[in-house]
């Protein structure tokens, strides 16, 4: 019985559960969360799909609870969709504090995104789980931090995969009667909003990279040609569509998949990958080296406020991030150390209250 454990019973957790249940390749889905929201998610998906769906109460911040669940359930795949506060939590807030924190880039809110996946990956190690773990919580940055600690998830989700879907949409509109070529995308989370809004950066080196066909013909403009979609929770529908094929390819007995997605093995940003037999490998186009691909995404991480990540996982923020919060709470832009996540999350809470 193929079992998938989804940690996080919010909107994305429900969308992922429904997508996997609808695909017919998963027999049992466990939806784990701290509140009773998981009960409604499980009941809804179980009613709509031919799949066993169960709600499990879990505080992902408690490593021992996660390890116990992993040991008892032995899932074939773990999907992490949880965070301490959703990236959309401040959507539409007009107050100066919220505007400043958003302007600083998502890396400033790493204390909301990193703690739970850190707890989960430590529990994975403690439980001796060897199956794949896929992470949807800001993987382009949490992945590299976790990699520094030897705790990188198998793969990240969304972001580059969303860009790939936008390229597909543009190609379908332009050539409705022609088969789609192989599409490979190199891009960072910081570039997703421009892609979704069809807002092409004027500077070519700020655009995500799009490679077509086996030969890798460049056409970066395709990422910005699909109909524009304003930022908001509606992006979750595109995220789910981008995520499910990757998750299905990680299941036992799945066929190979060539796709683009975030943070394979904890690399910064997103890359073209080939998933086969439970393993993930880069699938870079001719002429693009792994070193050059990583360097591109490290530069693009500045758009999220990341200056650099130390060997111990400490994240240093950009000068722009410092300027954004200088008049609100300058300490928010100090380096974010893994051991200080709880204190930094509390500081964010006090500023955003």
């Amino acid at each position: 019985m193929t079992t998938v454990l989804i940690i996080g019973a919010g909107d994305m957790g429900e969308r992922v559960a429904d997508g996997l249940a609808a695909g017919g390749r998963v027999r049992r889905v466990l939806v784990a969360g701290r509140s009773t929201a998981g009960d409604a998610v499980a009941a809804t998906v179980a009613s709509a799909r031919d799949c066993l769906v169960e709600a499990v109460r879990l505080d992902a911040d408690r490593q021992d609870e996660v390890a116990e669940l992993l040991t008892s359930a032995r899932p074939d795949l773990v999907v992490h969709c949880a965070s301490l506060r959703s990236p959309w939590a401040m959507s539409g807030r007009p107050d100066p504090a919220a505007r400043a924190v958003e302007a600083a880039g998502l890396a400033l809110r790493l204390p909301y995104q990193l703690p739970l996946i850190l707890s989960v990956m430590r529990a994975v190690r403690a439980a001796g789980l060897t199956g794949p773990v896929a992470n949807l919580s800001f993987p382009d940055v949490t992945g590299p931090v976790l990699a520094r600690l030897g705790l990188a998830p198998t793969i990240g989700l969304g972001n580059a995969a969303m860009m790939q879907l936008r390229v597909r949409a543009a190609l379908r509109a332009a050539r409705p009667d022609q088969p789609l070529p192989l599409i490979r995308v190199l891009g960072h989370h910081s570039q997703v909003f421009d892609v979704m809004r069809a807002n092409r950066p004027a500077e070519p080196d700020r655009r995500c990279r799009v490679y077509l066909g086996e030969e890798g013909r460049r056409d970066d403009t395709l990422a910005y040609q699909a109909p524009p979609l304003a930022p908001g929770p509606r992006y979750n529908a595109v995220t789910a569509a981008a995520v499910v094929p990757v998750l299905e390819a990680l299941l036992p007995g799945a066929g190979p998949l060539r796709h683009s997605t975030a943070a394979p093995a904890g690399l910064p940003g997103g890359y073209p990958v080939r998933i086969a037999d439970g393993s993930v490998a880069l699938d870079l186009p001719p002429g693009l080296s792994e070193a050059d691909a990583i360097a591109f995404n490290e530069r693009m991480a500045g758009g999220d406020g990341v200056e650099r990540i130390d060997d111990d996982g400490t994240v240093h923020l950009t000068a722009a991030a410092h300027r954004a919060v200088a008049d609100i709470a300058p300490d928010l832009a100090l380096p974010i150390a893994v051991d200080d996540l709880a204190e930094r999350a509390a500081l964010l809470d006090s500023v955003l209250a």
Side-chain angles (χ1 to χ4, degrees):
M1 180 182 292
T2 302
T3 298
V4 175
L5 170 62
I6 298 173
I7 298 176
D11 183 61
M12 277 310 308
E14 180 168 0
R15 290 177 185 271
V16 170
D18 185 66
L20 288 173
R25 298 182 183 180
V26 177
R27 182 60 180 152
R28 180 179 179 228
V29 175
L30 303 177
V31 180
R34 284 187 294 185
S35 72
T36 58
D39 298 344
V41 170
T44 302
V45 177
S47 300
R49 308 297 183 188
D50 185 18
C51 182
L52 295 172
V53 186
E54 305 169 33
V56 181
R57 202 75 76 242
L58 176 74
D59 183 351
D61 206 21
R62 294 183 59 86
Q63 179 186 326
D64 56 340
E65 284 190 23
V66 182
E68 183 178 349
L69 177 57
L70 293 173
T71 300
S72 61
R74 306 309 298 181
D76 298 286
L77 171 65
V78 177
V79 186
H80 181 85
C81 300
S83 62
L84 295 178
R85 186 184 290 214
S86 167
W88 299 114
M90 294 187 299
S91 182
R93 278 184 55 169
D95 55 288
R99 291 202 304 269
V101 169
E102 285 198 293
L106 188 57
L108 191 85
R109 285 174 275 165
L110 193 64
Y112 290 149
Q113 304 300 319
L114 180 58
L116 300 187
I117 182 59
L118 174 61
S119 172
V120 167
M121 292 310 301
R122 285 172 169 165
V124 165
R125 172 178 287 180
L129 192 74
T130 58
V133 180
N135 174 36
L136 191 55
S137 183
F138 197 19
D140 297 60
V141 176
T142 59
V145 173
L146 292 165
R148 302 296 201 279
L149 305 176
L151 295 170
T154 309
I155 203 164
L157 300 170
N159 303 336
M162 297 168 69
M163 301 182 211
Q164 180 171 316
L165 291 188
R166 295 284 287 177
V167 173
R168 288 176 62 90
L171 286 171
R172 279 196 303 268
R175 315 170 192 172
D177 299 325
Q178 298 182 28
L180 294 177
L182 172 67
I183 301 167
R184 288 181 276 200
V185 172
L186 178 72
H188 195 277
H189 170 270
S190 67
Q191 299 170 300
V192 169
F193 279 54
D194 278 340
V195 170
M196 297 299 291
R197 293 179 296 188
N199 180 30
R200 185 173 69 189
E203 306 87 350
D205 63 352
R206 303 302 302 176
R207 302 169 190 165
C208 68
R209 297 185 183 180
V210 178
Y211 302 86
L212 302 179
E214 290 292 353
E215 71 279 12
R217 178 174 61 85
R218 282 279 293 276
D219 193 347
D220 302 345
T221 63
L222 283 169
Y224 305 93
Q225 293 178 16
L229 186 60
R234 187 174 292 274
Y235 281 17
N236 287 356
V238 182
T239 304
V243 160
V244 170
V246 174
L247 298 178
E248 290 185 332
L250 291 168
L251 296 173
L257 175 71
R258 300 177 75 178
H259 207 65
S260 300
T261 195
L267 292 179
Y271 305 79
V273 298
R274 186 190 298 266
I275 303 173
D277 300 323
S279 65
V280 181
L282 293 182
D283 184 24
L284 301 178
L288 177 63
S289 70
E290 180 176 341
D292 286 344
I294 292 172
F296 171 82
N297 274 322
E298 287 178 335
R299 290 195 302 274
M300 294 305 102
D304 273 326
V306 178
E307 178 65 33
R308 72 178 189 276
I309 303 174
D310 290 343
D311 290 343
D312 66 354
T314 299
V315 177
H316 296 259
L317 302 182
T318 61
H322 282 260
R323 289 193 297 270
V325 296
D327 296 332
I328 302 297
D331 286 356
L332 285 177
L334 292 175
I336 302 170
V338 172
D339 291 340
D340 296 335
L341 290 172
E343 179 182 342
R344 294 297 292 274
L347 177 59
L348 272 167
D349 286 342
S350 67
V351 171
L352 294 171

